[in-house]
Amino acid sequence: QVQLVESGGGLVQAGGSLRLSCAASGRTFSNYAMAWFRQAPGKERDFVAVVSNPFGHTYYADSVKGRFTISRDSAKNTVYLQMNSLKPEDTAVYYCAASFGGGLYRRESEYNYWGQGTQVTVSS
């Protein structure tokens, strides 16, 4: 079993930055691919970014490429999402997810564990 707890969300003006954190506990953190998804009001949950295991390759949704950076610190059992140049359309609940498979998965069904989410609101 893996427990994931997100933090770092909040209210920010357009053009600003936030860093989300996802702290993992339970099974060996380094065995999993880790990803961020987001869900805007009235919309489906969408893929944002993933970091693979064991090589640490990354993949981003086109909508965030060049603005967001995903990283992991295995010593701290934590994955981060650095979000720069935020736009109002980035407003959503952001979820952390872990996958046994380790690959650059973009579908929700590939992920075995989910956090409870953290709200990010970007004002114009």
Side-chain angles (χ1 to χ4, degrees):
Q1 190 75 10
V2 173
Q3 294 79 41
L4 303 174
V5 179
E6 301 98 334
S7 61
L11 174 63
V12 65
Q13 289 188 332
S17 298
L18 281 175
R19 188 176 81 156
L20 305 182
S21 299
C22 173
S25 61
R27 290 187 174 181
T28 305
F29 171 76
S30 59
N31 290 344
Y32 296 87
M34 300 296 297
W36 290 94
F37 288 75
R38 66 185 181 186
Q39 186 168 23
K43 296 188 177 181
E44 294 183 349
R45 189 156 56 183
D46 292 329
F47 166 80
V48 175
V50 58
V51 55
S52 70
N53 173 69
F55 300 110
H57 297 151
T58 59
Y59 188 87
Y60 298 90
D62 287 343
S63 59
V64 306
K65 201 173 294 182
R67 299 188 298 124
F68 290 11
T69 302
I70 188 170
S71 61
R72 65 193 300 165
D73 185 336
S74 294
K76 296 182 178 180
N77 286 353
T78 300
V79 63
Y80 303 98
L81 185 68
Q82 178 67 45
M83 305 186 295
N84 299 328
S85 302
L86 282 161
K87 305 175 182 179
E89 51 264 44
D90 294 317
T91 295
V93 177
Y94 283 72
Y95 296 91
C96 175
S99 171
F100 290 139
L104 295 174
Y105 306 125
R106 278 96 80 188
R107 294 182 299 182
E108 289 188 53
S109 59
E110 302 283 1
Y111 289 85
N112 307 99
Y113 300 104
W114 293 83
Q116 83 290 348
T118 185
Q119 176 70 48
V120 171
T121 303
V122 184
S123 63
S124 57

